[in-house]
């Protein structure tokens, strides 16, 4: 331009333009492709995150045991809004029906960096009960040395639990049935074998129950069994397993209870029934056998012994408690 060579300047500009356009296209194509791919992945991830939030029950809890995040799925199940849960403790969901040992074991495992798995009975905002099959994972620091938070992943198993409960419940008394008692005895025997966790069993039979059916009819007999089952359930601990063994016989599996504690408990139950006024038949009594598991026992010998004590109580005038102590 300085030399007034305009045609040279135009020519040079056209050459630069012709060279730079293809080079620019060549350079920008992979960058654009990367951008489009990244944008597509980002959009897909947003969809996945939204799907997880809607359908996967998750919760994140800090080391201060306060909730930092929950999914919409958990809000739908529990009836709470997110803002109502953030900052609260997970105990807001506790139903009050589960053994405290479950929660102690849970926190012991995850605070030490282990994964906890199990079923939890929770309650909704309106007080109804639901069940979750839950895995809780500790979120570790970059060097895997410090637990920074905990994340739970859960599945709603309420329907499954309800079917399970129905299959384990005696239709008349709403106590556990023989199937559940057999299963519980096996579990407690295994715990005793592995960890020496003692337990005792109480076998109860209503005295002269046949006369109730003969004199008043089976409907009155059923109502007497229902009233008796309510007494047994009301005065047992949450950890005790109370069930109908068969007919007018009931069994209570007393967890972590030695023979002295179980015999005292059985005597209290005997007195309660003796003093109770049934709707139609007024006064009835029970005979009771009580035994504590021994190292030489299996389930058959344990049941045989407590059944013999019950028979002994009936033979000795009824309305009695016979246990390892008396025998």
């Amino acid at each position: 331009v300085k030399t007034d060579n305009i045609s040279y300047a135009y020519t040079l500009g056209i050459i630069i333009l012709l060279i730079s356009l293809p080079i620019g296209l060549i350079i920008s194509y992979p960058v654009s492709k990367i951008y489009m791919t990244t944008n597509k992945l980002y959009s897909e991830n947003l969809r996945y995150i939204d799907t997880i939030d809607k359908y996967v029950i998750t919760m994140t809890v800090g080391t201060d045991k306060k909730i930092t995040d929950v999914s919409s799925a958990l809000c739908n199940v529990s009836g709470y809004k997110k803002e109502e849960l953030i900052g609260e403790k997970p105990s807001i969901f506790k139903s009050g029906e589960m053994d405290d040992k479950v929660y102690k074991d849970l926190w012991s495992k995850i605070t030490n960096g282990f994964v906890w798995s199990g079923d939890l009975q929770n309650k909704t905002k309106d007080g109804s009960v639901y069940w979750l099959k839950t895995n809780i994972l500790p979120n570790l620091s970059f060097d895997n040395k410090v637990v920074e938070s905990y994340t739970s992943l859960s599945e709603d198993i309420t329907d499954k639990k309800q079917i399970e409960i129905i299959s384990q419940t005696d239709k008349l008394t709403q106590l556990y049935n023989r199937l559940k008692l057999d299963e519980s005895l096996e579990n407690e025997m295994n715990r005793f074998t592995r960890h020496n966790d003692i337990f005792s069993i109480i076998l109860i039979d209503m005295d002269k129950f046949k006369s109730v059916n003969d004199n008043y009819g089976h409907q009155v007999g059923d109502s007497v069994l229902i009233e008796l089952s309510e007494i047994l359930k009301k005065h047992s601990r949450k950890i005790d397993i109370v069930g109908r063994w068969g007919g007018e016989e009931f069994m209570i599996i007393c967890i972590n209870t030695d023979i002295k504690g179980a015999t005292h408990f059985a005597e209290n139950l005997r007195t309660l029934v003796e003093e109770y006024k049934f709707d139609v038949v007024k006064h009835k009594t029970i005979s009771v056998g009580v035994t504590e598991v021994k190292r030489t026992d299996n389930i058959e010998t344990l049941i045989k012994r407590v059944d013999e004590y019950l028979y002994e109580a009936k033979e000795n005038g009824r309305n009695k408690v016979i246990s390892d102590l008396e025998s």
Side-chain angles (χ1 to χ4, degrees):
V1 174
K2 277 185 178 181
T3 57
D4 296 326
N5 194 346
I6 301 300
S7 62
Y8 173 76
Y10 284 156
T11 303
L12 184 62
I14 291 169
I15 292 170
I16 292 170
L17 188 63
L18 291 174
I19 293 172
S20 63
L21 278 174
I23 291 174
L25 288 172
I26 291 168
I27 293 172
S28 65
Y29 176 73
V31 175
S32 298
K33 191 173 181 180
I34 290 170
Y35 171 77
M36 290 173 67
T37 304
T38 304
N39 191 53
K40 184 180 178 182
L41 289 172
Y42 177 71
S43 299
E44 288 177 353
N45 284 338
L46 284 180
R47 277 202 306 275
Y48 293 146
I49 291 169
D50 185 56
T51 301
I52 289 171
D53 181 64
K54 284 181 179 178
Y55 300 108
V56 181
I57 301 170
T58 64
M59 176 173 65
T60 302
V61 177
T63 52
D64 59 354
K65 297 185 179 181
K66 290 186 178 180
I67 300 170
T68 59
D69 192 26
V70 293
S71 66
S72 298
L74 178 56
C75 293
N76 291 336
V77 170
S78 67
Y80 288 98
K81 296 179 180 178
K82 281 193 178 185
E83 54 268 27
E84 292 177 311
L85 294 174
I86 304 300
E88 293 290 336
K89 291 188 175 182
S91 56
I92 191 173
F93 298 117
K94 286 177 70 172
S95 66
E97 295 297 322
M98 295 197 70
D99 188 351
D100 287 339
K101 281 187 175 181
V102 174
Y103 301 107
K104 288 179 182 178
D105 175 62
L106 184 159
W107 283 107
S108 174
K109 278 193 174 180
I110 63 176
T111 51
N112 285 288
F114 298 101
V115 176
W116 182 88
S117 298
D119 297 345
L120 294 175
Q121 185 191 52
N122 292 344
K123 68 176 180 180
T124 62
K125 185 178 179 180
D126 64 12
S128 57
V129 171
Y130 64 98
W131 284 87
L132 296 180
K133 188 176 186 63
T134 301
N135 295 289
I136 303 178
L137 302 83
N139 302 316
L140 301 175
S141 59
F142 183 75
D143 57 4
N144 291 328
K145 291 183 179 179
V146 180
V147 176
E148 295 183 335
S149 61
Y150 313 97
T151 298
S152 66
L153 301 171
S154 303
E155 174 191 357
D156 187 353
I157 57 169
T158 304
D159 291 342
K160 180 182 175 183
K161 274 290 181 182
Q162 287 175 343
I163 294 171
E164 182 181 314
I165 289 169
I166 291 170
S167 71
Q168 296 177 344
T169 302
D170 177 63
K171 187 176 181 181
L172 176 66
T173 63
Q174 295 303 301
L175 298 179
Y176 286 127
N177 60 17
R178 179 68 176 267
L179 177 68
K180 175 63 176 178
L181 288 171
D182 286 338
E183 179 187 312
S184 301
L185 281 171
E186 187 174 345
N187 291 338
E188 291 308 311
M189 186 62 76
N190 289 335
R191 285 205 316 142
F192 175 70
T193 303
R194 290 195 305 267
H195 308 296
N196 204 33
D197 291 343
I198 64 166
F199 68 97
S200 299
I201 60 173
I202 300 173
L203 190 60
I204 300 163
D205 186 83
M206 179 160 278
D207 296 327
K208 299 182 179 179
F209 180 73
K210 185 177 182 299
S211 65
V212 176
N213 287 331
D214 291 343
N215 297 328
Y216 298 97
H218 287 281
Q219 282 190 328
V220 173
D222 287 348
S223 69
V224 168
L225 294 178
I226 292 170
E227 288 179 85
L228 176 59
S229 67
E230 289 172 353
I231 294 171
L232 301 181
K233 185 69 174 177
K234 180 180 178 181
H235 295 280
S236 297
R237 301 171 303 173
K238 287 182 180 179
I239 62 171
D240 293 332
I241 299 164
V242 186
R244 187 181 181 189
W245 188 244
E248 65 272 21
E249 288 189 342
F250 297 84
M251 179 179 284
I252 303 176
I253 304 173
C254 303
I255 311 300
N256 296 327
T257 307
D258 63 14
I259 190 59
K260 288 183 179 179
T263 302
H264 179 70
F265 175 41
E267 187 59 44
N268 285 343
L269 289 175
R270 186 199 64 77
T271 304
L272 284 167
V273 174
E274 184 182 25
E275 295 174 351
Y276 181 79
K277 189 175 181 180
F278 291 85
D279 282 345
V280 178
V281 300
K282 304 311 177 188
H283 294 286
K284 294 295 292 180
T285 60
I286 57 174
S287 296
V288 188
V290 189
T291 190
E292 178 188 323
V293 66
K294 295 176 173 56
R295 184 54 64 182
T296 55
D297 271 331
N298 55 42
I299 293 175
E300 288 73 22
T301 60
L302 184 67
I303 293 172
K304 183 175 182 293
R305 188 166 63 251
V306 77
D307 193 53
E308 288 172 352
Y309 292 163
L310 175 59
Y311 180 78
E312 186 179 341
K314 285 191 165 295
E315 286 294 300
N316 283 276
R318 300 183 177 87
N319 193 23
K320 291 183 181 297
V321 175
I322 301 293
S323 72
D324 294 335
L325 300 178
E326 286 78 8
S327 67

